[in-house]
């Protein structure tokens, strides 16, 4: 027995995005409790030339969604980037999770050897499906989720590693 | 054809750790060029109750190493936490990569259904091998690597997403 591409993509991303949604909810709760405008967090960033929180969340969700579409050989569905509240960002994540869950394992069967071409500035990156997941999609999704978490922690939001992992939450 | 647990663990972690080593090298270069003590970066953190850079690197490497050992049903080999320079941290990563590469795919065969028990404070988390990788090991390794990257970016080190991913570096 081995592992399916579905387990390595859809399952990993759905879990990670659900945790991101939980983290954002905790940020909203923290803002309410400490009586500051949660919107302040959405424009926060760790360096002047890094993306702010809103963009980190949008990108994390989009890379998960688009990577699975590419592996399935489909054109990625586009979502508009128009969120201005934490609630809207959580809804965006929810729509992304629903879409990911709608992809059956059979749609990704054999995708480990599928050619994936990715526009990257002036170049086009070319991968086999498995390599694409290992070296591009998975590192990228976790990059943006962790950066969202780090922006919140840097701003003093009451969060811990347990919120990022939420391991054992079903136990 | 499906994907092996080896591809999902050893291959993913070796690639991510090699990129972390590259990022640290760029940080050392940047310090030399801007004429500041690179040791300053090692104690930098994003929040007072988050770990500094040195610890982020040690944890990233250890989680990769220990997770693969657990999946292989072996006692993890312990490395001492005594690094005080970027060069030593890169050597620690190098030793970890060598160890990971020494684990043959056969040692992880069938590990997707193996029981993995993980001490977590007062509790013990219990996973099946695949679930352990999807929800604990992979998110955790990328958490600490991304946080190391974010600490460096927050301190103005000349880095970009391309250094984190290094996709297409073999092209």
């Amino acid at each position: 027995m081995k592992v399916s591409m579905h387990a390595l993509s859809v399952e990993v991303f759905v879990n990670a995005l659900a945790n991101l949604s939980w983290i954002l909810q905790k940020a909203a709760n923290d803002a309410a409790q400490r009586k500051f405008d949660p919107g302040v967090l959405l424009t926060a960033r760790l360096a002047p030339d890094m993306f702010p929180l809103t963009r980190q969340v949008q990108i994390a969700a989009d890379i998960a969604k688009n990577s699975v579409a590419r592996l399935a050989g489909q054109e990625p569905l586009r979502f508009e980037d128009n969120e201005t509240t934490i609630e809207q960002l959580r809804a965006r994540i929810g729509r992304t999770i629903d879409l990911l869950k709608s992809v059956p394992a059979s749609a990704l069967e054999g995708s480990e050897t599928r050619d994936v071409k990715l526009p990257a500035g002036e170049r086009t990156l070319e991968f086999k499906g498995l390599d694409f997941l290992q070296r591009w999609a998975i590192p990228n999704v976790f990059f943006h989720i962790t950066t969202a978490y780090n922006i919140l922690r840097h701003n003093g939001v009451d969060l811990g590693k347990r919120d990022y992992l939420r391991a054992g939450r079903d136990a």
Side-chain angles (χ1 to χ4, degrees), chain A:
Chain A
M1 198 189 126
K2 296 200 170 186
V3 177
S4 69
M5 285 292 279
H6 185 266
L8 185 47
S9 57
V10 170
E11 291 180 16
V12 168
F13 296 153
V14 164
N15 179 65
L17 289 172
N19 294 352
L20 176 60
S21 187
W22 163 262
I23 285 166
L24 290 171
Q25 181 59 56
K26 285 204 73 168
N29 296 349
D30 195 72
Q33 193 163 6
R34 289 198 283 152
K35 298 189 200 316
F36 66 82
D37 173 10
V40 172
L41 297 171
L42 299 183
T43 55
R45 46 184 108 216
L46 292 172
D49 56 347
M50 286 184 82
F51 286 124
L53 179 62
T54 293
R55 200 77 197 98
Q56 299 290 349
V57 174
Q58 290 166 340
I59 296 174
D62 271 6
I63 291 175
K65 167 174 71 64
N66 298 352
S67 297
V68 169
R70 288 199 170 90
L71 287 170
Q74 292 165 356
E75 194 58 35
L77 204 66
R78 279 208 56 182
F79 287 169
E80 263 196 272
D81 294 325
N82 55 11
E83 292 83 4
T84 57
T85 66
I86 287 183
E87 199 174 30
Q88 288 168 7
L89 284 175
R90 294 188 66 231
R92 165 83 169 256
I93 295 171
R95 287 204 308 281
T96 303
I97 289 176
D98 288 345
L99 193 62
L100 286 170
K101 284 186 172 172
S102 75
V103 178
S106 59
L108 298 171
E109 212 146 298
S111 63
E112 59 272 19
T113 55
R114 188 188 292 266
D115 288 317
V116 175
K117 293 189 184 183
L118 200 69
E122 292 174 2
R123 311 187 294 162
T124 298
L125 299 176
E126 298 190 20
F127 300 90
K128 292 292 175 189
L130 174 58
D131 195 42
F132 171 68
L133 260 185
Q134 291 172 312
R135 287 175 49 190
W136 199 89
I138 290 175
N140 234 325
V141 168
F142 284 109
F143 177 91
H144 292 285
I145 291 177
T146 301
T147 302
Y149 172 97
N150 282 338
I151 290 170
L152 295 172
R153 289 287 266 113
H154 186 62
N155 279 276
V157 171
D158 181 24
L159 282 176
K161 190 72 168 305
R162 66 194 174 284
D163 297 305
Y164 170 81
L165 288 175
R166 295 185 74 210
R169 69 180 180 276
D170 302 323

